[in-house]
Amino acid sequence: MFFESLQKPGLIGITPGDHRVKNEMLMEMMVDCACEHSDYAGFGVNDIERTGITFILIDWYVKTLKSPVYGQKLKVVAWGHDNTATMVERDFEIRSEEGEVLVQATSSWIALDVKNHRIARVNPDMYAPFGPEDKRLFERKKVFLRGREKLEEELSVVERQISRGSLDLVGHLHNTAYMGLAVDALPDDVYAKTPFPEFRIH
């Protein structure tokens, strides 16, 4: 099932000067689409009391082909494809009103047993309502190394206290907030190159 959400980025999510949509806002738009998709499939936020399950986003790869700008009406499309015993995978496209693909992304989500705060198993009956598709945007081995890469050096280290306002409904740091933390830690010469057209958060 290709689930489509019509959205328009707000003022807080754009860069000064050229009014491009920030990466955090692009991610937030895709998360909102994913939540709407989950609502439709019967595993949304309002279904947690019944199902005892929610999905936690643990991995992102995002590639911007053409930056959306403030005022554009955008179509955010989400669809699931592969799943394992504990994880599901979902791809996204952000398209212009005319259908031009502006942003592509792939992501991994784990199922969480909310009551016991443990990883839950994903059975076929659970994932079937999402209508998994065969289409995949990326070869996952090339974009997801599952945290095995090693940095030769730390470019910048900034200590931050996580604010209450950054927590999500299960008490974790909201996934899109990691981009903001990373941006705060960037050296000035690197920050000047933002927003990055391609990035990964794991």
Side-chain angles (χ1 to χ4, degrees):
M1 175 195 304
F2 293 95
F3 188 90
E4 183 177 299
S5 173
L6 300 178
Q7 300 189 34
K8 187 176 179 180
L11 186 65
I12 197 171
I14 62 173
T15 59
D18 55 12
H19 303 162
R20 288 184 293 175
V21 181
K22 296 178 182 177
N23 285 327
E24 297 99 308
M25 178 56 69
L26 295 175
M27 296 165 67
E28 199 66 49
M29 292 170 69
M30 290 185 277
V31 167
D32 286 344
C33 181
C35 289
E36 291 179 34
H37 189 192
S38 294
D39 292 341
Y40 182 86
F43 283 89
V45 172
N46 291 333
D47 300 301
I48 291 176
E49 186 174 347
R50 172 180 58 82
T51 64
I53 298 292
T54 191
F55 289 92
I56 304 295
L57 180 53
I58 62 168
D59 225 336
W60 272 109
Y61 173 76
V62 180
K63 186 173 184 179
T64 298
L65 308 175
K66 181 179 179 181
S67 291
V69 296
Y70 177 75
Q72 272 189 286
K73 295 179 181 178
L74 301 170
K75 299 176 183 178
V76 186
V77 183
W79 65 95
H81 44 81
D82 296 328
N83 73 282
T84 67
T86 58
M87 185 172 63
V88 299
E89 296 174 352
R90 187 185 258 138
D91 283 0
F92 299 92
E93 285 185 341
I94 298 179
R95 304 169 184 167
S96 69
E97 204 171 11
E98 297 73 31
E100 180 184 7
V101 177
L102 307 175
V103 180
Q104 293 183 316
T106 190
S107 60
S108 296
W109 307 64
I110 57 169
L112 182 72
D113 179 329
V114 175
K115 181 178 179 180
N116 298 309
H117 217 72
R118 295 178 180 174
I119 294 176
R121 294 189 65 82
V122 180
N123 59 56
D125 291 339
M126 180 190 298
Y127 200 44
F130 287 91
E133 299 285 346
D134 292 329
K135 181 178 178 180
R136 294 167 183 77
L137 293 178
F138 303 100
E139 186 179 338
R140 301 185 69 78
K141 288 182 180 179
K142 291 185 177 180
V143 298
F144 285 159
L145 299 179
R146 296 296 172 212
R148 296 190 185 99
E149 57 277 77
K150 300 293 183 181
L151 295 177
E152 294 181 3
E153 61 178 327
E154 291 179 337
L155 298 179
S156 179
V157 178
V158 175
E159 291 188 8
R160 288 288 303 272
Q161 178 68 39
I162 304 303
S163 66
R164 294 189 184 107
S166 298
L167 301 180
D168 61 19
L169 75 150
V170 292
H172 293 171
L173 180 66
H174 186 54
N175 189 277
T176 61
Y178 283 96
M179 176 57 72
L181 293 179
V183 167
D184 285 346
L186 293 175
D188 289 343
D189 60 328
V190 179
Y191 175 72
K193 300 175 183 178
T194 60
F196 302 111
E198 187 176 6
F199 63 90
R200 180 189 173 214
I201 295 179
H202 171 63

